[in-house]
Amino acid sequence: MGLRVLVVGGGGREHALLWGIARSPLLDTMYCAPGNAGTTRLAISIPVAADDIVGLRRFAVSERIDLTVVGPEAPLVAGLADEFRAAGLAVFGPGAKGAHIEGSKAFAKEVMRAAGVPTGTAAEFTMFSPAMAFVEDHGTPLVIKADGLAAGKGVFVAGSRREAEDALRSCLIEGRFGDAGRSVLVEEYLEGEEASLLALVSDGRVLPLAPAQDYKRALDGDAGPNTGGMGSYSPVPTVDADTASAIVDQIVRPTVDELERRGISYRGVLYAGVILTSQGPKVLEFNCRFGDPETQVMIPRMRSDLLRLLWATAQGEELPASVDWEPGACVGVVMASRGYPAGSSKGDTITGIVEAEALDGVTVFHAGTAERDGVLVTAGGRVLVVTALGADFAQAREKAYKGVGRIDFSGAQWRTDIGARAVGGRTS
Ligand code: GLY
């Protein structure tokens, strides 16, 4: 059929999506806005920012784009999909009302309460004093979340009264997150292992993808500050078939049904961040888009035609009964630049990617990269994700780290324990 595809975004997630789409016989041409130095190997880069909805729509209309796939959450929350659909353009991603499930933590909680979805109890506050009184009553640990989008920085695990006070003060008094933090949720702290279960949602139909797990902390052993994600693996041994079914039946389907009951038809991916508690899986967060860096370890395992799945979802069509996956495991290690996550260094020459990708099963996805005078250089905090497929987690890990060892740039930093906890675990 020859589809002309536009992918919106410029990180490792978008590079992985393009890589998966490129394998489809349905593809004609791909564009990426704005893209990075890695995406330009697969797609024509368009110098339009991911949040420039008018510019993106103008491009999609003039270039007769058949399908637009949106990577990041901000343009979805801002209504990109509604604008595109109003212009008769097919888009993978929910409209603003559906994306509100990520755009407002309070809305997500309210939907979960109405749908009977298991999640931590929470209370919403806009004023500092009543929020602190709630903290005094309930004690710590507690989780404090800015209601709106805060670029992954608006969630605080408060282990002490002092930490809770600091988090509430920064949101409600100092306005650190602007409007996104004018309202906060103070939420029960849940204990257990975390996992991400993403599902394609096509007007009420649900197709679960393979579970994945990411690593949010900067340093080995889950120490150090929170980051955008320092690595990931898929599948997740602790999410066996029964647990995955429980997540779909108790969390994903009821949430989608509740959205439908509210007249919100959802066409895109619903990301459930869950915690496997002793009482079963409970929701930590919902996202309205693919995970980063979970996508980078899911797509290399996907045998099904990704573009066909994205196209069917964007059209609100039937979805297949299941997705076909490579057996074994995929591990992805993020290589970050000097200073990340507090800052990042730019302009350092990157070498060794060709040598890393010469290893069987290794694919390197670019995130913060750019080309300067024909030389590949760093251009952001998270620079690359080195992924490897293996027969099991031990092999996938070994290959991924061998790939990391072949890549060099000044100030490169990475965790050395990505996937370690899964070694020996089931891969199917
Ligand atoms: N890996 C977490 C996220 O994509 O939000």
Side-chain angles (χ1 to χ4, degrees), residues 105-186:
K105 308 277 182 289
F107 173 72
K109 275 286 177 211
E110 199 249 301
V111 169
M112 285 188 266
R113 270 187 215 117
V117 165
T119 185
T121 53
E124 191 183 351
F125 297 95
T126 54
M127 305 289 288
F128 177 76
S129 297
M132 267 319 287
F134 183 90
V135 170
E136 307 282 5
D137 277 358
H138 286 76
T140 52
L142 286 167
V143 182
I144 294 168
K145 295 178 174 172
D147 179 54
L149 293 184
K153 298 194 169 78
V155 177
F156 303 86
V157 177
S160 64
R161 181 193 176 283
R162 181 59 199 262
E163 284 172 359
E165 181 177 347
D166 287 350
L168 290 171
R169 198 174 283 285
S170 75
C171 293
L172 298 176
I173 296 181
E174 291 156 11
R176 176 171 160 202
F177 302 108
D179 284 347
R182 292 210 193 291
S183 170
V184 298
L185 282 191
V186 182

Side-chain angles (χ1 to χ4, degrees), residues 146 166 205-206 215 231 239 282 304 341 364 375 409:
D166 287 350
R205 303 170 189 88
V206 168
Y215 290 77
V239 182
K282 295 190 179 186
S304 301
V364 180
V375 176
F409 53 89

Side-chain angles (χ1 to χ4, degrees), residues 181-274:
R182 292 210 193 291
S183 170
V184 298
L185 282 191
V186 182
E187 191 170 329
E188 177 189 4
Y189 174 79
L190 299 172
E191 275 193 76
E193 198 172 322
E194 286 182 36
S196 310
L197 198 287
L198 284 68
L200 301 182
V201 179
S202 172
D203 281 357
R205 303 170 189 88
V206 168
L207 175 58
L209 303 175
Q213 186 155 74
D214 72 345
Y215 290 77
K216 294 199 173 70
R217 300 291 186 136
L219 306 175
D220 284 3
D222 289 331
N226 261 328
T227 69
M230 291 300 285
S232 52
Y233 61 83
S234 176
V236 182
T238 47
V239 182
D240 58 15
D242 287 347
T243 307
S245 296
I247 296 170
V248 172
D249 294 343
Q250 296 165 23
I251 290 173
V252 180
R253 276 189 216 285
T255 301
V256 172
D257 290 346
E258 179 61 28
L259 293 176
E260 289 274 321
R261 258 195 295 281
R262 295 170 184 227
I264 301 172
S265 66
Y266 195 106
R267 294 181 183 179
V269 67
L270 181 64
Y271 167 136
V274 300

Side-chain angles (χ1 to χ4, degrees), residues 348-416:
D348 294 307
T349 300
I350 305 169
T351 59
I353 291 181
V354 172
E355 291 78 0
E357 291 195 318
L359 293 164
D360 178 45
V362 172
T363 305
V364 180
F365 294 116
H366 292 226
T369 65
E371 215 170 285
R372 205 181 53 193
D373 302 327
V375 176
L376 184 68
V377 296
T378 60
R382 290 188 295 169
V383 177
L384 303 167
V385 188
V386 183
T387 69
L389 286 169
D392 55 26
F393 284 104
Q395 196 187 69
R397 243 175 80 70
E398 189 190 327
K399 287 191 202 177
Y401 278 107
K402 215 175 214 179
V404 168
R406 292 187 177 186
I407 296 173
D408 187 48
F409 53 89
S410 175
Q413 48 160 327
W414 60 88
R415 278 181 65 155
T416 65

Side-chain angles (χ1 to χ4, degrees), residues 87-107:
L89 295 160
V91 54
F92 178 92
K97 286 184 180 162
H100 205 45
I101 199 139
E102 178 167 358
S104 166
K105 308 277 182 289
F107 173 72

Side-chain angles (χ1 to χ4, degrees), residues 334-350:
V334 170
M335 297 183 75
S337 67
R338 184 187 292 108
Y340 182 74
S344 63
S345 59
K346 294 187 173 59
D348 294 307
T349 300
I350 305 169

Side-chain angles (χ1 to χ4, degrees), residues 214 271 287 289 291-294:
D214 72 345
Y271 167 136
N287 295 320
R289 38 84 192 164
D292 189 346
E294 289 96 329

